[in-house]
Amino acid sequence: QVQLVESGGGLVQAGGSLRLSCAASGRIFSSYFMGWFRQAPGKEREFVAAIKWSVGNTAYPDSVKGRFTISRDIAKNTVYLQMNSLKPEDTAVYYCAANPSGYNYYSSRGYDYWGQGTQVTVSS
């Protein structure tokens, strides 16, 4: 069982930066992918970033590539999402999630454990 707690959301102006953190309790095995998703009102949950826990390989969709960076601190059992050059369309609730199998890391269906979410609002 893995529990995830996000922090670091808030209100920022367009062009600004935020860093989200996700503290995990419980064992994160080497096969795990850790991911970030976001969901805006009236929209489906969207893949934002993923990282393979053991080796640190990362993946991003085109919408955030070059602006967002996912990283992890194994000693602290924590995943981060550094978000730069934020745009109003990045406004959403951001969720941290854990994928034990390593499959479908780009889809919410691949993740078994979810945090409660943290609000990110980007003003124009």
Side-chain angles (χ1 to χ4, degrees):
Q1 187 75 12
V2 175
Q3 293 183 326
L4 305 169
V5 179
E6 302 99 333
S7 61
L11 173 64
V12 64
Q13 288 189 331
S17 299
L18 279 175
R19 189 176 82 153
L20 306 183
S21 299
C22 172
S25 61
R27 178 77 181 271
I28 306 295
F29 292 94
S30 60
S31 63
Y32 276 50
F33 269 81
M34 300 297 293
W36 287 96
F37 289 76
R38 66 187 181 188
Q39 189 165 21
K43 295 188 177 182
E44 293 188 355
R45 194 164 293 191
E46 176 189 16
F47 170 65
V48 174
I51 187 166
K52 187 166 175 64
W53 188 254
S54 58
V55 295
N57 293 348
T58 59
Y60 307 91
D62 288 343
S63 58
V64 306
K65 195 174 293 182
R67 300 189 298 122
F68 290 11
T69 303
I70 187 171
S71 61
R72 87 275 191 249
D73 185 325
I74 294 176
K76 294 183 179 180
N77 242 27
T78 299
V79 180
Y80 303 98
L81 184 68
Q82 177 67 43
M83 304 185 294
N84 299 328
S85 302
L86 282 162
K87 305 175 182 180
E89 52 263 43
D90 294 319
T91 295
V93 177
Y94 282 70
Y95 297 91
C96 175
N99 175 331
S101 71
Y103 294 106
N104 294 334
Y105 59 83
Y106 49 85
S107 168
S108 60
R109 292 188 296 272
Y111 291 78
D112 292 342
Y113 306 105
W114 292 85
Q116 82 288 352
T118 185
Q119 177 71 45
V120 171
T121 303
V122 184
S123 64
S124 57

